[in-house]
Amino acid sequence: MASFKSTKIPIYPKLGEKVTPDTLYWKNYKAPVQIKEFGAVTSIDFSSLAPHNYAVTASTRIHIYGPFSTEPVKTFTRFKDTAYSGKFRSDGQLLVAGCEDSMVRLFDVSGKVALRVFKGHTKGVHVTDFTSDCYHILTGSDDYTCRLWDIPNSTELTSYKEHTDYIRCGITSKLNRDIFITGSYDHTLRMFDARVEKSVMTMDHSQPVESVLLYPSEGLLVSAGGRYVKVWDLLKGGQPLVSLKNHHKTVTCLSLSSNGQRLLSASLDRHVKIYNTTNYKVVHNFDYAASILSLALAPDDESIVVGMTNGVLSIKHRKSPEEKREMAGKQRMQPVYRIFVKGRNYVPKKDDFLVSKPVKSHLAKYDKQLKKFNISKALDTALESWRRNRKPEITVAVMKELDRRGTLKNALAGRDEQNLSQLLNFLIGNVVDPRFTPVLVTATEMILDIYQAVVGQSSVVDRQLVRLQELVEREVDYQQDLLEVLGMLDTLFAASLPRKEVPCPGSSRSNGLAEGSLGAPGPQLKAA
């Protein structure tokens, strides 16, 4: 009796990851250091002065961390309610923060007690920032107002109430002390000049605005809200330049690299996207374990700090040159050379006997079931979650083997709602893959033949069948469009080729008639 032959799993070519300078640059970070905070991390801000400490606002506290510390070097807890938007002044000596209790507090970084408390807002203050002259503070609140405050006198200078919803983001100009921009849940961005009583520019983001960012030249403004990241040209009166939709959940924060050539956006979808600011294409992507609320990039891109909704602060540090050399110097321990050459020069003697061991073959689970002719169990084993998700080629190979044996229809029959749903889910995910289409189309036709009598009895299966139908119809439309394009290209290529005359031997230019045949008298008939 012949031995059982295991199922042959085809090896498909894999597309290698495209290695770009951006890939090498942004992958050059160590494993993240994670710190558990007391609540969701809503704001992260780096000091512009060395050693570039950063302030983390979470719950009712603001922690200040050193560049490589895992414990806070300073903590401010003088908040009666949730704190927001802890921001350093440009000299790194003062820190301002808003609060849900509508008060704005100013702290000396080297002290503990608030130096100033600004009162005037009637609802929570989510936006705080220093102006470029370091003597004024911008605040934005849920009471729809944004205000400018004078630090030395603790007085309110100006108040604007043009927004019609919560103000959740804002930024001041670093080139002009009187210019600042706010973003609101009323979908608008407004630029204000403290010397004018009204806003000087308005832009419609079409979504509640969560974050704003100015380029260093301050000619371009970036806004984030909903699933969109939009770029505006301020020198052309707020004209929209680019609208990016690379996230599938709300974008919550923005950041800019040290050279201004890369834009970072973070979202509730747990991703950080990095864009090239020349063409605004995504050049790299970071994944995190929870939804992201805050993001900050250290000067010189030495660290990426991300705050998440689960209260975890994730810090990635760039590898130092010494660590790079150390990693490059580490090589796998190679066996000693003598182990490789051992026995190679051995010459068998005349009376030696060769004792060979039988090679024991280990069959996979689905092959063991196939060997026992348990076709349904073999298919169930091939449809296990980790196998169908990570190695769908194994599942397809088992189906192909069952089809070759003529038992695929029997293996697909007799399934309950859960098993059928699992099978349909696999077909939806892989039927349009050109590697698997020939096999899976056959399996799909068999499933429709077997279970058409029970359509309408399960809402889950019905929804999946509708999804499968839409998927196949869309793929058919794509194929038709591709065939049309291919026909157009064939016509263009044929028209662009030079024409050549192919001479035919024994024929002339006059319709292929032999010379002398044109006008020549026909044969004479003899009279009877």
Side-chain angles (χ1 to χ4, degrees):
M1 183 177 178
S3 61
F4 178 82
K5 293 183 179 179
S6 59
T7 305
K8 186 178 180 181
I9 309 299
I11 299 175
Y12 297 100
K14 292 184 178 180
L15 296 177
E17 182 181 359
K18 188 177 180 181
V19 179
T20 63
D22 280 286
T23 306
L24 299 175
Y25 183 83
W26 294 105
K27 276 194 171 182
N28 191 27
Y29 286 91
K30 294 183 279 188
V33 178
Q34 294 188 344
I35 302 172
K36 181 64 176 176
E37 291 289 340
F38 290 91
V41 181
T42 57
S43 174
I44 302 169
D45 185 58
F46 273 90
S47 173
S48 58
L49 298 182
H52 305 301
N53 295 340
Y54 55 94
V56 176
T57 308
S59 186
T60 58
R61 301 165 185 249
I62 297 179
H63 292 305
I64 297 180
Y65 291 91
F68 295 100
S69 65
T70 56
E71 296 292 333
V73 297
K74 191 77 176 178
T75 301
F76 298 102
T77 58
R78 303 285 179 167
F79 297 95
K80 298 178 181 179
D81 208 334
T82 306
Y84 299 111
S85 186
K87 292 288 182 70
F88 282 107
R89 197 166 70 171
S90 58
D91 58 5
Q93 299 299 315
L94 297 180
L95 182 129
V96 65
C99 184
E100 191 64 37
D101 64 4
S102 76
M103 296 184 187
V104 180
R105 292 171 174 82
L106 181 70
F107 297 93
D108 185 347
V109 173
S110 59
K112 288 186 177 181
V113 182
L115 297 178
R116 298 280 190 276
V117 177
F118 302 94
K119 300 179 181 179
H121 286 290
T122 58
K123 290 186 178 180
V125 180
H126 286 257
V127 180
T128 60
D129 201 0
F130 289 95
T131 58
S132 60
D133 62 359
C134 300
Y135 295 116
H136 301 104
I137 293 174
L138 164 69
T139 61
S141 170
D142 286 352
D143 61 8
Y144 309 165
T145 66
C146 55
R147 309 185 186 208
L148 279 178
W149 307 82
D150 182 66
I151 295 177
N153 300 321
S154 300
T155 56
E156 179 184 314
L157 297 177
T158 317
S159 177
Y160 298 93
K161 191 176 181 180
E162 296 190 26
H163 287 291
T164 58
D165 209 332
Y166 300 154
I167 299 174
R168 290 296 173 89
C169 57
I171 192 169
T172 58
S173 168
K174 300 299 181 280
L175 305 178
N176 190 324
R177 67 176 186 177
D178 297 313
I179 301 296
F180 60 92
I181 299 170
T182 57
S184 169
Y185 278 8
D186 63 5
H187 301 187
T188 63
L189 299 153
R190 294 183 183 271
M191 176 184 284
F192 295 92
D193 189 332
R195 298 162 294 188
V196 183
E197 295 181 354
K198 294 183 179 180
S199 60
V200 295
M201 193 182 299
T202 303
M203 292 149 280
D204 185 9
H205 185 82
S206 302
Q207 299 284 335
V209 185
E210 300 284 352
S211 181
V212 290
L213 177 71
L214 273 173
Y215 274 66
S217 64
E218 300 193 357
L220 297 177
L221 172 72
V222 187
S223 62
R227 296 170 57 191
Y228 295 90
V229 175
K230 297 186 179 182
V231 184
W232 312 84
D233 191 342
L234 299 181
L235 302 180
K236 293 185 179 180
Q239 177 181 338
L241 290 182
V242 183
S243 179
L244 307 172
K245 192 180 179 183
N246 297 98
H247 292 279
H248 59 269
K249 286 188 180 180
T250 301
V251 184
T252 54
C253 45
L254 301 167
S255 186
L256 205 61
S257 65
S258 56
N259 57 10
Q261 296 180 1
R262 296 295 181 266
L263 173 68
L264 287 77
S265 67
S267 165
L268 296 179
D269 62 6
R270 304 182 293 107
H271 296 294
V272 173
K273 305 284 185 182
I274 302 175
Y275 307 88
N276 186 335
T277 54
T278 304
N279 52 20
Y280 292 100
K281 291 184 178 179
V282 177
V283 295
H284 197 67
N285 178 69
F286 289 113
D287 297 333
Y288 287 87
S291 299
I292 302 171
L293 290 179
S294 52
L295 164 73
L297 199 59
D300 300 327
D301 304 339
E302 288 300 316
S303 302
I304 298 177
V305 185
V306 166
M308 293 173 268
T309 54
N310 59 358
V312 173
L313 186 70
S314 175
I315 307 107
K316 290 183 178 181
H317 297 292
R318 183 170 291 281
K319 296 175 184 175
S320 63
E322 292 79 11
E323 289 173 324
K324 291 182 191 175
R325 286 194 292 270
E326 184 180 351
M327 292 295 294
K330 283 185 179 179
Q331 297 179 355
R332 290 181 58 189
M333 293 292 294
Q334 298 293 339
V336 185
Y337 176 72
R338 61 183 175 82
I339 295 177
F340 284 104
V341 299
K342 183 179 180 180
R344 288 197 174 185
N345 299 326
Y346 179 78
V347 179
K349 297 178 182 179
K350 185 178 181 181
D351 298 331
D352 287 348
F353 290 95
L354 176 63
V355 179
S356 60
K357 290 184 178 180
V359 179
K360 188 176 181 180
S361 60
H362 297 278
L363 296 177
K365 289 183 179 180
Y366 49 84
D367 279 331
K368 291 179 180 177
Q369 299 296 341
L370 286 174
K371 189 175 181 181
K372 297 175 183 178
F373 300 100
N374 296 331
I375 54 175
S376 294
K377 290 184 179 180
L379 185 57
D380 291 341
T381 306
L383 283 169
E384 289 178 353
S385 59
W386 72 270
R387 188 174 282 115
R388 71 171 185 268
N389 292 330
R390 295 183 183 179
K391 294 188 175 181
E393 61 271 14
I394 294 179
T395 307
V396 176
V398 172
M399 287 185 175
K400 186 175 182 180
E401 175 64 19
L402 291 172
D403 188 35
R404 186 187 69 81
R405 296 182 177 198
T407 56
L408 178 59
K409 196 166 188 177
N410 294 336
L412 294 171
R415 296 182 173 268
D416 58 11
E417 181 184 14
Q418 182 179 356
N419 291 335
L420 183 58
S421 176
Q422 188 181 72
L423 188 57
L424 290 173
N425 193 32
F426 176 77
L427 293 175
I428 291 171
N430 297 280
V431 71
V432 296
D433 192 324
R435 301 175 299 170
F436 309 141
T437 298
V439 179
L440 295 186
V441 165
T442 303
T444 304
E445 292 175 349
M446 291 182 180
I447 289 174
L448 295 177
D449 290 340
I450 296 169
Y451 296 100
Q452 62 180 348
V454 296
V455 172
Q457 297 183 12
S458 170
S459 58
V460 176
V461 174
D462 291 346
R463 282 197 300 269
Q464 288 181 315
L465 288 174
V466 171
R467 283 180 58 197
L468 184 61
Q469 180 185 2
E470 293 173 351
L471 184 67
V472 172
E473 290 177 351
R474 189 162 60 247
E475 183 66 20
V476 170
D477 292 338
Y478 289 156
Q479 296 292 339
Q480 289 177 348
D481 293 341
L482 287 173
L483 287 174
E484 291 177 3
V485 172
L486 185 61
M488 297 176 189
L489 291 175
D490 288 342
T491 305
L492 291 174
F493 291 151
S496 63
L497 294 175
R499 296 182 179 181
K500 292 183 180 180
E501 290 189 4
V502 180
C504 296
S507 63
S508 67
R509 294 176 180 268
S510 55
N511 296 327
L513 297 176
E515 290 185 3
S517 63
L518 188 63
Q524 299 291 330
L525 295 176
K526 293 182 180 181

